[in-house]
Amino acid sequence: MAAALIGVLAGSLLTSRANRMHWSRDKQIDACASIVAESTRIQLALRRAWRHDEPVDWVPWNVALGTIWLVGSPAVVAAAATMDQVFWDHSEQFIQQTATSETAWKEARDRMEAARLDFINAARLHVDPRHNPLSQVPVSRPPLPHAAGPTQGLPPTGHAAPDRSRGT
């Protein structure tokens, strides 16, 4: 009878530990997914602020950052902090509409997307160390308009550019 009781207690402890680990992992994945989604939203909001004078709502981004600070590993938190710093480095020129060209947007966009990719790779590695790093940003976007020429506004394929009114 004592052996059965010890077996039940040991099984209960192992099950409880496994459940806590699964819960923690699920929370970490959810927090990472929120960071990716909110970073994309902020990037598009900065573009709309610059082009259409729309306000940027930072609250969801800050909530996502707070969540990752609570459940993320140090490497994932550091990658999120780097992404936040990139937003800070570039936000004023788009919110105040002082950016002077599409080239300024391209440089900022490329830094934002590189920071997002670094975050994604840090999160993937934390979730499963067997994951290989990704090298492509997780969004597709049309190229920026060219300065001049008969194909102005056309991508290299020669087809009409997609509707850019969404603010990419």
Side-chain angles (χ1 to χ4, degrees):
M1 185 163 151
L5 183 57
I6 291 172
V8 168
L9 287 174
S12 175
L13 290 174
L14 289 175
T15 299
S16 176
R17 182 175 182 246
N19 285 341
R20 281 192 312 271
M21 288 174 52
H22 284 118
W23 178 87
S24 178
R25 184 173 186 265
D26 288 346
K27 291 298 179 190
Q28 290 172 3
I29 291 170
D30 290 346
C32 289
S34 181
I35 287 285
V36 173
E38 287 304 319
S39 67
T40 301
R41 187 190 62 76
I42 286 293
Q43 179 179 327
L44 296 174
L46 289 173
R47 173 79 177 180
R48 286 189 305 273
W50 179 45
R51 292 313 225 177
H52 306 291
D53 198 25
E54 292 182 19
V56 177
D57 180 7
W58 291 97
V59 172
W61 170 247
N62 290 326
V63 168
L65 284 175
T67 303
I68 204 71
W69 255 252
L70 287 173
V71 300
S73 71
V76 171
V77 169
T82 298
M83 198 178 343
D84 188 49
Q85 185 61 50
V86 170
F87 287 141
W88 275 104
D89 290 347
H90 294 287
S91 63
E92 187 174 326
Q93 68 178 324
F94 299 113
I95 293 170
Q96 300 300 321
Q97 298 177 327
T98 60
T100 59
S101 68
E102 287 291 332
T103 301
W105 172 253
K106 178 190 176 304
E107 290 170 4
R109 179 200 64 200
D110 289 351
R111 281 196 64 211
M112 288 181 241
E113 290 176 359
R116 184 178 303 113
L117 183 60
D118 289 345
F119 174 83
I120 288 168
N121 282 324
R124 286 170 51 90
L125 183 63
H126 177 71
V127 168
D128 186 349
R130 297 172 296 179
H131 278 147
N132 292 322
L134 300 176
S135 60
Q136 181 178 354
V137 294
V139 293
S140 296
R141 55 182 154 64
L144 294 173
H146 299 312
T151 59
Q152 182 176 356
L154 297 179
T157 62
H159 300 289
D163 178 18
R164 298 176 56 85
S165 63
R166 292 190 345 214
T168 57

